[in-house]
Amino acid sequence: MTEKKIIINIGRQLGSGGRTIGKILAERFNCSFYDKELLNLAAKESGFSEKFFEQNDEHKKFFKSLFHLHAQHVSDNNFYINKFSQESLFQFQAEAILKAAKEGNCVFVGRCADYILRDNPNAINIFITADIKFRLMQVCKRHECDEDTALKIINSKESIRASYYNYYTGKKWGYSQSYDLCVDSSKLGIEGTVDFLAYYIQEWLKRKEE
C-alpha cells in the first residue's frame, strides 16, 4: 500500500485482538510481521535456543527458569551461561528488533519495541485496549475455558507483561502518555479498528512529508 518507510509498534491488552490487528496492518502496509517471530531472530543473534526465549517471553525475572532448563535448551558454550544476566535476553531481543527495523518496514507486537525504537523517526506507537467483556470472550474462546478462568489468565499475564515493560522502559504499560494512539477495539470490532488505524497511519505518513 505504501513505499514509505514505516515501523508500527503495537502494545496490547490480553484479549483485545492486538496481535490480529497487527497482522492485518502488516499485510495492508506491506510490512514484515514480528510477534513470536522475534524469538527466532533473538535466538539466532544470541546462540541460545528459541525454546529458551519462548519460556521467558516478556518476563522480567529470567533467572527463575534459567536453572530449570534442560542443558539442551541452551548453548553448549559455558561462556554464555557464566556471563548470562537478566538483561542479556532483553538485549538480544532488542538487537533483533533494531536489525529488523533497519532492514525494512515492520510491525512489532509487544516486547518494548516502542521503547527500543524510540529514536526511529519512522515509528508509530499504538496501544490496543478493549472492554473486559470483549476480552473475556476472546480469551474464553482461545483457551476453551469459563469466564472465571479467563479472568485469572488475563490478570496473571497482564501483570507479568506490565512488569516487564515498566522495568525496561521506565514508562507505564498501557498509559496513553507512552503511545501515539490508544484505541478500544471493542468499539469498532477488529476489522473496524484496522480500518480506523489504517486511515490514521496513512494520514500520519502524509503529514510527515509536508
Side-chain angles (χ1 to χ4, degrees):
M1 178 178 290
T2 179
E3 297 300 322
K4 299 174 183 177
K5 181 71 173 180
I6 182 171
I7 304 295
I8 304 171
N9 299 316
I10 296 182
R12 74 286 185 218
Q13 285 190 304
L14 196 70
S16 66
R19 185 184 191 282
T20 300
I21 290 168
K23 185 74 172 176
I24 300 172
L25 286 174
E27 293 170 356
R28 290 201 184 185
F29 286 92
N30 193 28
C31 296
S32 297
F33 178 77
Y34 296 99
D35 182 14
K36 296 292 185 181
E37 294 81 0
L38 275 172
L39 306 182
N40 178 261
L41 291 179
K44 289 179 179 178
E45 292 290 326
S46 67
F48 285 92
S49 83
E50 186 175 353
K51 183 70 173 179
F52 184 69
F53 283 87
E54 288 176 358
Q55 292 182 343
N56 295 286
D57 189 25
E58 291 190 306
H59 285 62
K60 180 170 72 72
K61 296 181 179 179
F62 300 118
F63 279 114
K64 287 185 177 180
S65 61
L66 175 62
F67 297 106
H68 294 285
L69 292 175
H70 189 277
Q72 68 182 11
H73 289 163
V74 295
S75 169
D76 290 333
N77 191 334
N78 288 331
F79 172 81
Y80 285 107
I81 296 177
N82 293 335
K83 296 296 183 181
F84 198 81
S85 70
Q86 178 176 317
E87 280 68 32
S88 294
L89 279 179
F90 178 79
Q91 187 59 40
F92 289 135
Q93 193 162 261
E95 290 172 0
I97 289 172
L98 288 166
K99 182 177 181 181
K102 185 177 180 180
E103 292 177 350
N105 296 341
C106 301
V107 172
F108 295 105
V109 176
R111 295 165 186 84
C112 303
D114 60 305
Y115 175 76
I116 293 165
L117 298 171
R118 61 193 179 280
D119 295 324
N120 191 315
N122 301 306
I124 184 168
N125 304 315
I126 298 168
F127 190 83
I128 308 297
T129 184
D131 68 42
I132 191 61
K133 290 183 179 179
F134 182 91
R135 295 163 62 205
L136 284 172
M137 181 177 66
Q138 299 302 317
V139 174
C140 284
K141 185 185 301 183
R142 185 187 312 163
H143 292 277
E144 298 182 345
C145 63
D146 59 27
E147 287 194 354
D148 287 342
T149 302
L151 185 58
K152 290 178 181 177
I153 291 172
I154 288 172
N155 289 337
S156 175
K157 291 192 174 181
E158 288 200 342
S159 176
I160 292 170
R161 187 175 289 174
S163 178
Y164 178 91
Y165 182 90
N166 296 348
Y167 178 81
Y168 283 109
T169 68
K171 301 194 294 180
K172 292 287 188 179
W173 179 81
Y175 279 42
S176 60
Q177 296 94 325
S178 298
Y179 310 92
D180 298 310
L181 179 67
C182 296
V183 180
D184 185 337
S185 61
S186 59
K187 301 300 184 185
L188 300 176
I190 299 298
E191 288 293 337
T193 300
V194 170
D195 290 340
F196 171 77
L197 289 175
Y199 173 79
Y200 182 93
I201 292 167
Q202 287 170 338
E203 290 300 307
W204 173 71
L205 287 169
K206 288 179 185 177
R207 290 174 185 272
K208 278 185 62 185
E209 298 300 316
E210 293 178 355

